Amino acid sequence: MMSEGIGARVVRKEDKRFITGKGKYTDDVRLHGMTYASFVRSPHAHAKIKSIDVEAAKAMPGVVDVLTGQQLVDDKIGNLICGWMIHSKDGTPMKMGAWPAMAPETVRFVGNAVAVVIAETRNQARDAAEAVEVAYEELPVAADIRAAIAPDAPQIHPEAPGNVIYDWTIGDEAATNEAFKKAANVVAMDIVNNRLSPNAMEPRAAVAEYDPAEEHFTLYTTSQNPHVARLVLSAFYNVAQEHKLRVIAPDVGGGFGSKIFIYPEEMVALWASKRTGRPVKWTSDRTEAFLTDAHGRDHLTKAEMAFDKDNKIIGLRVKTHANLGAYMSLFSSSVPTYLYATLLSGQYNIPNIFAEVVSVYTNTAPVDAYRGAGRPEASFVMERLMETAARQLKVDPAELRRKNFITQFPHQTPVIMAYDTGDFGASLDAALKAADYAGFPARKAKAKAEGKLRGIGFSCYIEACGIAPSKAVGSLGAGVGLWESCEVRVNPVGTIEILTGSHSHGQGHETTFAQVVADRLGIPTSQVSIVHGDTDKVQFGMGTYGSRSGAVGMSAIVKAMEKVEAKAKKIVAHQLEASENDIVIENGEFKVTGTDKKIALPMVALAAYTAHNLPDGMEPGLKETAFYDPTNFTFPAGAYICEVEIDPGTGKTEFVNFVAADDFGRLINPMIVEGQVHGGLAQGIGQALLEHAVYDKSGQLVTASFMDYAMPRADDLPSFKLSHTTTLCPGNPLGIKGCGEAGAIGSTPAVINAITDAIGHDRITMPASPNEVWHAIHQKQAAE
Amino acid sequence: MSSVKLTVNGKAVSADVEDRTLLVHLLRDHLGLTGTHVGCDTSQCGACIVHIDGRAVKSCTTLVGQANGANVTTIEGISKGDTLHPMQAAFRDNHGLQCGYCTPGMIMSAIDIVHRHQGDLDEATVRHELEGNICRCTGYHNIVKSVLDAAGRMKVAAAAE
């Protein structure tokens, strides 16, 4: 029985429907009388809309209506919001330009919607969208950070002069400058973090239905946080009142951050369903996904690290320009600030840190959180600096890191974070052993003899997960609290439903959440079902991102279970005439310790609902709710080592070995945790070697299909060697730290560090394609 | 409009469809077989793979007319009642899926791979043969394990028959 509890490698309950083709994703929803939406999108990166002629489209077969941005304005539908306020160093609030769901006057990126066709079939909607005539007056374009901050840059939003959204700082500038004056050595680097497309395999979709009799809306959507979607759609966008809107996020085919945000298409589908009186379905095609899903990363950074004569870090100075695209997406402002710069201490004891972040508008798709969100960018800066420093200081990269590791906990960094616990040395030791670091020089020599370049790269990452204490994020500008809720319903027959505000889009909650409950009660997981993703069923929740489902969502389950168990014990104590303090729960039974008296869970549940024999004054029923607000972020950390071999003739990088040693605190289901790491590693390695969202100077997205955007395929990746060391998180009842983003955070620098080690210099930019690596090798040879 | 007749998961199907109708839309919209997914529009991701006359084919770029008269098997048609196909069981047992969206196409592709190699597969071959399928969740590590595991199971099953 307990083999299904915490720590067991239980196969997933949800898999049955997925492997038999019975999953229910948003595009699988079909409603009576359903119509299809197709958006008319701007082909220009920056242009004034002179006119929109919809008459020809309206006359086409099957067309129900054609709606424009001006009609949205006329119906007083609100602009999209950004939910995290950042103030510039001069104290002024961030400069936010308006983002209407469909542009009435100006388009600011290729793919910006200007109108929508509603028709009887998908093809009729697409045909008619082609027939909408839009006259544009093209405007000058700023398609990247450098173009946006140039003195003669085109103005993208009138509200943000010079295209600067905010110029934000953290840390002590004077003390950090002072540390640099005292430094024995300074390592300085320009670091580019390339832009990525998230590419969940399920494209975004929305099905909206309006019921005029009840003035009630239902929205099926590909969301990582349906309650937040409902809140924002009602409180800010004016498409429906919160109690008149049900948001259902059914099976969701991957999110990786891109499905946290509320997008124009969901708003328009709801609004159009009311205007047309018909259910409306919109499903993104892959090119629309590339054009309009929020992208990730895209930083330009100047970073300097100061060392004393003993190679101890005494200061870190960072200036980053972050590209937020043409409009500010829901959480975009927080990503390069509180999710990035606060992690710039890495695993290291750095007494002085100062970071400045300038976020800018460009004529590109909005940029927001993507797997890891800010933390991969921070980890990349820190670990590239450490590797380069080791090379410049001529010390072993592992030993330079070890010398600077934080070893005393709790540890307060100069950039807000209070690390609660960790053992960075243990992770590094585990990784070194698994990678056979001692044997590397011999392997490198052998490769050299065979005409190959071999390199080994390290990455010792830390992240802040479990986002986070509501009071803390509120003080930093967040527009929402970041607690989680859980309702535990013990049914009269003893089966249990867990209603959670967390949302599963591949993470296996139906299994792991059931394991936590099964573990506490000693029952099989089949007796527990997990209910999530529907605002009519679950009262409220904040959804899943930032590896918060374990540390925050499961903690809410524990809190609710504690209440249920306490009440159940009172019932049992009353019925068995024992003290409730003497009741223990084992194998699904409530037992009086030291006796053979016991009552099985179903009978306790039945007693609660029949209410024939309860303690005086006790309410009937066995159902409890908890809202859990964490006391701190959690701090997963680990050490990754990558060994590569490069063919100097082709520049192709082959993996010899990839080792990941992580500390995630307690693991509920190691099989699922490993799966999360595998997926993260693939995304981080994808960034290092393959992936790049490329805009040309005119703002056209050159990589708008899988034929142009290099997604990692099975043949591009190795099998991974994983291991775990454990320090339990002291901040939550289960000791969980979170595992969802680690792989994506830690792997990218490890790969690039390995390549720089192999080629013998640091002048390489991501993605390190064979072409890039070949040129890097041959530039070096030419220079020598 | 054209009239087509085909067999889907053992059942005779006839339909009048626009000439441009793709097989995936016939399966999903007309027949309600929503296990076959659309992940791209360029035959790159493989979420839409079905078997046509026993061969793995991308249904998002196959016109219904091209499948006229053919025998089509989808993810819904590979298990025998409640008994999972060995490939389905191997994906479950090896945690070869996460969000499940690419999974039907992966499974249909993987069955074809095992058939073509008659079960004699190694990791490098599986990785190479999976190049027409994209997964964003698993990093392929457990998918490769699943396919190798299923290759063994399918051999055993074939030997037993």
Side-chain angles (χ1 to χ4, degrees):
Chain A
M1 190 88 73
M2 292 311 292
S3 64
E4 291 194 337
I6 290 173
R9 306 174 76 90
V10 180
V11 297
R12 299 199 319 172
K13 295 170 69 164
E14 46 269 78
D15 284 358
K16 186 177 176 189
R17 65 177 186 273
F18 296 139
I19 57 179
T20 55
K22 298 285 195 285
K24 190 160 193 177
Y25 301 88
T26 297
D27 188 63
D28 300 340
V29 173
R30 282 191 294 173
L31 302 177
H32 180 70
M34 192 170 77
T35 62
Y36 294 81
S38 181
F39 283 86
V40 180
R41 298 186 181 278
S42 170
H44 305 295
H46 199 190
K48 283 251 178 248
I49 300 168
K50 291 168 69 181
S51 63
I52 303 178
D53 183 349
V54 300
E55 293 312 312
K58 274 189 171 171
M60 288 181 65
V63 173
V64 176
D65 207 347
V66 183
L67 301 167
T68 65
Q70 188 55 48
Q71 285 167 293
L72 268 178
V73 174
D74 295 345
D75 282 0
K76 299 189 169 45
I77 301 299
N79 293 327
L80 280 85
I81 61 158
C82 177
W84 196 306
M85 172 54 73
I86 299 294
H87 285 82
S88 286
K89 60 187 179 187
D90 65 5
T92 57
M94 62 192 191
K95 311 278 194 296
M96 195 172 153
W99 185 8
M102 296 191 293
E105 292 172 357
T106 306
V107 290
R108 295 184 172 84
F109 70 101
V110 172
N112 204 159
V114 300
V116 65
V117 174
I118 311 296
E120 299 291 344
T121 72
R122 180 193 345 256
N123 283 338
Q124 286 169 339
R126 287 182 175 187
D127 290 346
E130 293 283 320
V132 173
E133 293 283 346
V134 186
Y136 294 98
E137 176 191 336
E138 288 188 61
L139 297 171
V141 171
D144 62 29
I145 292 169
R146 288 189 184 90
I149 60 174
D152 57 347
Q155 186 66 41
I156 297 171
H157 288 280
E159 296 86 348
N163 300 318
V164 171
I165 301 163
Y166 54 76
D167 182 349
W168 173 91
T169 64
I170 192 168
D172 188 332
E173 185 173 22
T176 305
N177 289 343
E178 207 50 41
F180 272 82
K181 283 184 195 160
K182 291 183 199 150
N185 287 293
V186 171
V187 176
M189 295 183 80
D190 288 336
I191 295 169
V192 181
N193 204 298
N194 52 322
R195 185 179 179 111
L196 303 176
S197 294
N199 282 330
M201 293 317 299
E202 178 206 30
R204 288 191 295 118
V207 182
E209 181 176 35
Y210 178 66
D211 174 356
E214 303 292 337
E215 298 177 338
H216 184 279
F217 291 84
T218 303
L219 175 69
Y220 297 84
T221 182
T222 49
S223 174
Q224 295 177 222
N225 52 357
H227 285 92
V228 176
R230 184 174 74 151
L231 170 68
V232 172
L233 285 162
S234 59
F236 297 98
Y237 303 161
N238 197 34
V239 287
Q241 287 182 284
E242 195 167 10
H243 67 306
K244 296 283 189 181
L245 171 60
R246 177 183 185 185
V247 177
I248 303 169
D251 287 329
V252 172
F256 315 112
S258 68
K259 292 172 182 169
I260 303 173
F261 324 119
I262 319 304
Y263 287 93
E265 293 84 2
E266 296 151 21
M267 293 168 63
V268 170
L270 281 167
W271 170 68
S273 71
K274 185 175 179 183
R275 290 211 41 141
T276 60
R278 302 272 298 273
V280 173
K281 174 189 276 190
W282 169 75
T283 305
S284 170
D285 65 28
R286 184 53 61 180
T287 291
E288 275 184 298
F290 274 106
L291 291 174
T292 66
D293 291 4
H295 290 179
R297 319 285 190 252
D298 207 346
H299 284 193
L300 294 182
T301 295
K302 284 185 178 298
E304 300 167 280
M305 194 177 268
F307 291 85
D308 70 11
K309 60 181 174 26
D310 297 325
N311 295 333
K312 286 268 206 183
I313 309 168
I314 55 172
L316 174 69
R317 234 174 2 208
V318 174
K319 178 161 185 177
T320 293
H321 280 87
N323 186 350
L324 295 193
Y327 300 101
M328 290 181 76
S329 174
L330 193 61
F331 291 114
S332 61
S333 56
S334 65
V335 176
T337 51
Y338 289 108
L339 295 178
Y340 163 70
T342 55
L343 268 298
L344 283 172
S345 195
Q347 296 189 354
Y348 311 109
N349 197 345
I350 306 179
N352 304 289
I353 300 177
F354 177 71
E356 179 175 10
V357 178
V358 181
S359 285
V360 301
Y361 280 122
T362 59
N363 293 116
T364 62
V367 179
D368 206 326
Y370 165 65
R371 203 167 190 170
R375 291 151 290 183
E377 296 92 316
S379 170
F380 192 68
V381 167
M382 292 306 290
E383 292 307 294
R384 291 290 296 117
L385 273 173
M386 289 304 277
E387 201 78 14
T388 304
R391 218 162 280 141
Q392 290 188 12
L393 302 173
K394 297 192 172 19
V395 293
D396 181 89
E399 289 316 307
L400 181 66
R401 286 174 167 88
R402 195 188 301 278
K403 180 188 274 277
N404 284 286
F405 278 158
I406 294 159
T407 53
Q408 301 288 318
F409 295 91
H411 172 89
Q412 177 64 55
T413 73
V415 279
I416 294 182
M417 290 300 175
Y419 299 165
D420 50 10
T421 187
D423 187 345
F424 306 142
S427 296
L428 182 58
D429 288 342
L432 288 170
K433 190 166 171 234
D436 182 22
Y437 187 52
F440 176 71
R443 296 196 296 276
K444 187 177 175 95
K446 183 166 181 287
K448 192 176 178 186
E450 292 162 0
K452 298 285 177 67
L453 302 172
R454 205 173 258 238
I456 198 161
F458 290 80
S459 168
C460 295
Y461 75 92
I462 188 164
E463 57 170 324
C465 286
I467 312 173
S470 298
K471 195 173 172 182
V473 296
S475 73
L476 302 179
V480 288
L482 286 167
W483 40 264
E484 197 43 82
S485 79
C486 175
E487 179 181 329
V488 175
R489 283 186 198 158
V490 183
N491 295 318
V493 291
T495 58
I496 297 176
E497 289 163 285
I498 301 295
L499 287 74
T500 171
S502 300
H503 183 274
S504 182
H505 29 281
Q507 295 92 338
H509 293 178
E510 289 167 50
T511 306
T512 52
F513 285 19
Q515 283 181 263
V516 171
V517 176
D519 190 85
R520 293 187 72 93
L521 299 177
I523 57 175
T525 55
S526 59
Q527 220 169 308
V528 185
S529 65
I530 306 301
V531 179
H532 72 106
D534 183 340
T535 60
D536 261 18
K537 292 182 179 172
V538 180
Q539 194 222 329
F540 211 102
M542 301 310 298
T544 289
Y545 38 89
S547 294
R548 63 192 305 280
S549 293
V552 189
M554 285 194 203
S555 293
I557 296 177
V558 169
K559 293 291 175 192
M561 284 298 295
E562 283 171 355
K563 293 184 188 178
V564 163
E565 289 158 13
K567 184 171 181 181
K569 284 180 179 177
K570 281 194 169 71
I571 294 169
V572 173
H574 173 76
Q575 299 211 341
L576 297 181
E577 296 177 341
S579 161
E580 60 186 89
N581 295 325
D582 292 338
I583 312 294
V584 293
I585 308 169
E586 280 173 16
N587 298 328
E589 293 174 326
F590 289 72
K591 297 176 177 170
V592 183
T593 48
T595 76
D596 59 357
K597 293 200 281 185
K598 61 188 181 186
I599 307 180
L601 172 66
M603 297 314 293
V604 182
L606 190 62
Y609 286 94
T610 57
H612 296 165
N613 184 17
L614 295 180
D616 286 343
M618 179 182 274
E619 285 181 26
L622 195 52
K623 182 183 94 158
E624 298 287 348
T625 299
F627 286 70
Y628 172 77
D629 201 349
T631 54
N632 192 1
F633 291 88
T634 64
F635 297 96
Y640 292 180
I641 299 178
C642 171
E643 186 170 332
V644 299
E645 193 167 275
I646 296 170
D647 181 340
T650 63
K652 183 155 170 48
T653 301
E654 301 272 2
F655 288 97
V656 180
N657 203 355
F658 199 106
V659 167
D662 295 290
D663 178 359
F664 297 136
R666 178 162 283 123
L667 310 183
I668 303 301
N669 183 328
M671 179 191 80
I672 288 176
V673 168
E674 287 162 10
Q676 291 287 304
V677 177
H678 295 156
L681 291 174
Q683 282 179 269
I685 293 170
Q687 172 169 28
L689 293 185
L690 297 161
E691 297 184 44
H692 195 188
V694 182
Y695 284 91
D696 70 12
K697 280 194 166 50
S698 70
Q700 291 294 329
L701 183 62
V702 178
T703 51
S705 81
F706 285 145
M707 300 178 69
D708 312 297
Y709 185 93
M711 286 281 278
R713 292 169 191 271
D715 219 3
D716 297 312
L717 297 168
S719 285
F720 309 109
K721 282 189 196 160
L722 269 49
S723 65
H724 303 282
T725 58
T726 303
T727 58
L728 293 180
C729 175
N732 62 61
L734 289 164
I736 293 177
K737 296 186 178 181
C739 64
E741 297 156 306
I745 294 170
S747 61
T748 314
V751 175
I752 296 299
N753 287 340
I755 292 172
T756 61
D757 185 47
I759 66 176
H761 68 88
D762 292 304
R763 294 181 300 282
I764 191 105
T765 53
M766 295 192 289
S769 63
N771 182 51
E772 168 72 17
V773 173
W774 187 90
H775 276 102
I777 294 166
H778 290 272
Q779 277 167 10
K780 165 95 185 318
Q781 286 175 352
E784 277 172 356
Chain B
M1 298 289 279
S2 298
S3 292
V4 288
K5 283 186 173 26
L6 56 163
T7 305
V8 179
N9 297 334
K11 285 186 194 152
V13 170
S14 58
D16 293 323
V17 294
E18 276 188 283
D19 291 344
R20 60 177 165 172
T21 304
L22 297 164
L23 178 58
V24 68
H25 291 135
L26 177 81
L27 296 171
R28 289 178 55 81
D29 299 343
H30 296 252
L31 304 179
L33 295 169
T34 53
T36 304
H37 296 149
V38 181
C40 70
D41 319 291
T42 50
S43 273
Q44 295 288 309
C45 83
C48 66
I49 289 180
V50 300
H51 291 173
I52 299 180
D53 294 332
R55 287 173 54 238
V57 172
K58 287 175 173 166
S59 65
C60 79
T61 38
T62 302
L63 293 165
V64 172
Q66 293 173 281
N68 196 9
N71 212 324
V72 176
T73 305
T74 70
I75 188 72
E76 290 93 343
I78 58 167
S79 49
K80 289 179 184 157
D82 285 340
T83 306
L84 295 173
H85 187 282
M87 189 63 74
Q88 291 172 308
F91 267 69
R92 182 195 57 199
D93 294 346
N94 292 284
H95 189 32
L97 64 149
Q98 289 181 25
C99 80
Y101 196 79
C102 77
T103 308
M106 280 285 175
I107 288 174
M108 298 309 284
S109 182
I111 291 169
D112 187 44
I113 292 170
V114 173
H115 282 156
R116 280 188 286 106
H117 290 267
Q118 300 179 343
D120 292 323
L121 285 166
D122 55 24
E123 182 185 331
T125 308
V126 171
R127 286 186 178 277
H128 182 67
E129 291 271 349
L130 280 175
E131 69 176 3
N133 292 75
I134 299 174
C135 171
R136 194 55 149 170
C137 293
T138 64
Y140 305 100
H141 183 108
N142 285 341
I143 290 177
V144 173
K145 262 172 75 179
S146 302
V147 178
L148 290 170
D149 181 8
R153 295 185 196 208
M154 287 167 69
K155 254 187 177 173
V156 171
E161 275 175 12

